[in-house]
Amino acid sequence: MNHAAIMTWAWFNEGPSDKSDACPAYQACAEKARAADPTRFVTWASNKEDNDKCLDHATLVSFNSYPAWYYSSGDLKKPKEHWDSMAAYVKEHQRGKPFAISETGAGGVYEWAHNSSDAKWTTKYQTEIISADVDAALDNDDLSAITLWHFFDFKGNDDATKKCGPCEYLPGVSPPTCAYVDVNCDRPGGLNHKGVVDFWRRKKEAYGVVAAKYNATGERRGVVG
């Protein structure tokens, strides 16, 4: 069973923290949050990473990035290289602060699970990237947490559906199952496919792989999942 818990207060997801002019707003939020609750971390999910100019106002450093997915596609060494590099940067420049991967992952179309290749949008390639992200986090003592984006697939927006076209469903099949979806688009079927379960909560390959990695780590540390 999952137990909801608040570990940090955060704001301005992927905001303009690479601009010094924005830092007073980050500082004001941090001071307000700490005044209301001095027991928890304050942070923001930054996609500016080592170009973030406002990190002095955070007590937890959190970065969003998608190595081997949005860039360096096909390079499965990139997740470890990237996250090790960012962990080293935080350790040097934000001494004493924990570092978390606040968002990472890859997309996989559930109906493409039968594809044995690791082409983009296959569940195999999704699993390879996510596995590399999780291994990087678990193997690095300077990396305190990882949050995968995300648990289940969901609709993007109407523009994504117009751009990429809808899923063409098999008739009479339940749960609804795509017979065709355009994987040459950035939102196949108008959905965000980065979930480890699909829109109908069917588990993808990555679900079991990630669970096994987390459970094995908990067992080594004497934590019962």
Side-chain angles (χ1 to χ4, degrees):
M1 179 179 292
N2 292 323
H3 298 273
I6 297 172
M7 59 168 282
T8 184
W9 300 112
W11 47 86
F12 303 149
N13 179 56
E14 297 186 351
S17 53
D18 56 334
K19 297 178 173 59
S20 297
D21 289 350
C23 292
Y26 285 83
Q27 180 181 5
C29 289
E31 290 175 351
K32 184 74 172 179
R34 282 197 295 266
D37 180 5
T39 69
R40 291 179 174 87
F41 294 112
V42 295
T43 192
W44 53 90
S46 174
N47 63 343
K48 308 306 185 290
E49 301 188 286
D50 51 354
N51 291 315
D52 194 309
K53 299 183 184 304
C54 306
L55 293 176
D56 287 348
H57 304 301
T59 57
L60 166 69
V61 178
S62 308
F63 288 167
N64 291 0
S65 189
Y66 292 82
W69 182 249
Y70 285 133
Y71 60 92
S72 301
S73 182
D75 184 358
L76 294 174
K77 295 180 181 178
K78 185 55 67 174
K80 177 174 173 55
E81 291 174 357
H82 179 77
W83 294 123
D84 283 355
S85 173
M86 292 299 99
Y89 173 84
V90 172
K91 185 176 184 178
E92 179 180 355
H93 295 279
Q94 294 292 321
R95 293 183 179 276
K97 296 181 182 180
F99 171 51
I101 300 172
S102 43
E103 191 176 308
T104 195
V109 176
Y110 175 84
E111 288 86 352
W112 224 11
H114 68 278
N115 189 326
S116 60
S117 77
D118 60 355
K120 191 170 186 178
W121 296 111
T122 62
T123 56
K124 180 177 181 180
Y125 187 53
Q126 179 191 36
T127 301
E128 289 173 341
I129 294 178
I130 291 177
S131 293
D133 285 321
V134 171
D135 286 343
L138 296 179
D139 293 343
N140 191 323
D141 289 340
D142 295 322
L143 221 165
S144 298
I146 179 172
T147 303
L148 297 177
W149 181 260
H150 39 77
F151 179 59
F152 57 87
D153 295 347
F154 59 87
K155 179 177 171 59
N157 53 50
D158 291 338
D159 288 339
T161 303
K162 290 177 182 177
K163 177 183 177 183
C164 299
C167 163
E168 296 179 9
Y169 289 107
L170 290 169
V173 176
S174 183
T177 300
C178 282
Y180 172 80
V181 68
D182 183 4
V183 294
N184 295 310
C185 196
D186 60 350
R187 287 282 185 264
L191 298 180
N192 188 317
H193 288 274
K194 294 189 186 74
V196 293
V197 300
D198 80 341
F199 194 83
W200 307 101
R201 308 304 191 264
R202 293 174 292 192
K203 295 177 182 178
K204 303 179 191 177
E205 180 183 353
Y207 182 98
V209 171
V210 170
K213 290 179 181 294
Y214 286 168
N215 288 334
T217 301
E219 290 169 2
R220 288 198 302 271
R221 297 176 179 176
V223 177
V224 178

